[in-house]
Amino acid sequence: MEITAVGVVALDLRRSVTFYELLGFRFPPFGDDEEHVQTDVGSGAQLMIDSAAMMAELLGEPPRPGNLAAFATRLASPTEVDVVAGRVAAAGHTVVTEPWDAPWGQRYATVADPDGHRIDLYAPLGS
């Protein structure tokens, strides 16, 4: 078994794409009427962002806030964890957990996207 995609739901697709681009993801151009966008994140996996309106139509109920699920992104160095968390904060988004050196040997931080989805940022210490 392998995970090939992570999906998040966005109240404002463009705002969410802008946030994820702060983390380093790159998306193809898309129009204002688009309700789904995705990008390859390596190893054949995709990050998918869907509009809340489309998901409500597909699921028959509105999506709920996304603070119970999270995913992690490995960054190139401990310094990059600090830089990305700082970029998120400077853009007015939430840094849930400021960068710190975790006892399991990683520089670690947690940020939240505009809809509350948690993204862990990490890099092995010494990298």
Side-chain angles (χ1 to χ4, degrees), residues 5-106:
V6 172
V8 296
V9 177
L11 293 174
D12 180 328
L13 192 66
R14 191 160 302 279
R15 179 181 69 167
S16 289
V17 166
T18 299
F19 171 85
Y20 283 98
E21 287 178 339
L22 289 171
L23 302 183
F25 294 100
R26 297 292 168 247
F27 293 87
F30 62 95
D32 289 336
D33 61 339
E34 304 262 356
E35 295 196 79
H36 171 89
V37 65
Q38 67 186 50
T39 187
D40 182 36
V41 297
S43 301
Q46 301 286 313
L47 172 59
M48 304 180 306
I49 304 175
D50 295 306
S51 76
M54 181 184 83
M55 293 309 295
E57 187 175 317
L58 289 174
L59 301 175
E61 64 180 358
R64 294 184 253 314
N67 64 355
L68 298 177
F71 64 92
T73 59
R74 181 178 176 156
L75 301 176
S77 70
T79 300
E80 191 175 358
V81 173
D82 295 350
V83 168
V84 172
R87 198 165 50 225
V88 166
H93 298 288
T94 302
V95 176
V96 177
T97 305
E98 293 289 336
W100 63 295
D101 293 341
W104 53 85
Q106 296 173 336

